[in-house]
Amino acid sequence: MKKAFRWNRFDRKTYSVFCSLKKEVNIGVLSVATALSFSGFETAVAQNEVPVQMKEYELEEVEITGSRAPLSLDEAARMVTVLSRQEIEAAPVQSVNDLLKYAVGVDVRQRGDMGIQTDITIRGGTFEQITILLNGININNPQTGHNTADFPVDIHDIERIEILEGPASRVYGTSAFTGAINIITRTVQENNLSLHISGGQHGLFTGGASLGYRKKSVTTWVSGRYSRSDGYIRSSDFETQQGYYQGTYTHPDVDVSWQLGFTNRDFGANTFYSAAFPDQFEHLRRYIISVRAETKGKVRFRPSVYWIRNEDRFELVKGVDSNHPYNYHLGHVYGINLNAYFHTRAGKTSFGAEMRSEGVRSTSLGKELYEPVNVPGSDYLYTKGADRTNISFYGEQIFCSPVSLLP
């Protein structure tokens, strides 16, 4: 039978390891400090407990827009992910596009840095099969889904982001085949001013500011941002400007909110659409205006109207249009939404209608126009285009159980 040896110290001699050959060695370690630490920790916790720590706090419910009538998150009957303000502030991101990467089920593919051009998909769909909303207003680009994620808001303007997975056409219109993303901007609780600036290699510079002002029943939120870079490779430079303004008015009978957004993006599109032309360049400009209201009472009406204009100039070879003419596109969207809902013992009932008119004028896309239209600021003509109008009616009944599922 082999002898067992117990080590009480380690020898530093080089031949010491040979002493353990053909022997059974037991090594014992007593974690005295660890044991004392845990026992002391439990004692400290027990001694520091005060009545305030033992209280139960009920947090305010967050209403989401995963249906025609507002619901709390625990009442939603479908998969809804909410990125809160705290999560947004903690995320190491530079743009809204980067932030969406943290949502499960959302695939974000960026062609350029700093959210220059991004394709967003949900649950394996395409970037043309989701709806992007800003405070409940559909801001999809009728020309192409490549430019839908051209947000006029900065990451500092956002209160939360709601991601609705699965078919949502009943809630958000015909383009929400695989889901929808609703960006909710911040509400002004008190007057504040924020400034931020950053820089980096290759001429990278980003600066922005936001101002929140509240006076009685009226709030105002204004923000702006500028960023630029020389690019880390050929034709990857960019320059962007964006501005956003939101106002709200609260009255005992009605709440009204309005918003204006503007973006201007000039960026190199190296290999975005073709590797054969490394000097591709694109100019994008967008305007957004909307007004929304909500009455108070037993039956609540929520009408909204909006207008969106999208301008696009694509240069296959930057600054040269002799051999490869520029492509100009102009998109416009008009919409009106009439929504109403009320609560009963049976749950929440909502109904309404929506009309959305979309149009595109282009030098290369669509059918031939009867009368060409001048492209502002150039010698080109819009010779092609397409229009469509979607009208939808809906009704929804949500049965809410009065019995709480919480223990």
Side-chain angles (χ1 to χ4, degrees), residues 20-32:
S20 63
L21 296 178
K22 298 183 180 181
K23 294 180 181 180
E24 181 180 341
V25 180
N26 295 330
I27 301 176
V29 180
L30 179 60
S31 302
V32 178

Side-chain angles (χ1 to χ4, degrees), residues 232-272:
Y232 66 98
I233 61 174
R234 176 180 176 182
S235 191
S236 64
D237 56 311
F238 65 84
E239 183 176 5
T240 68
Q241 303 93 31
Q242 63 188 49
Y244 180 72
Y245 163 71
Q246 181 188 26
T248 64
Y249 170 72
T250 303
H251 187 270
D253 297 327
V254 64
D255 292 336
V256 183
S257 63
W258 54 92
Q259 61 182 355
L260 290 81
F262 166 78
T263 60
N264 186 59
R265 294 173 180 253
D266 301 331
F267 56 90
N270 187 344
T271 70
F272 279 21

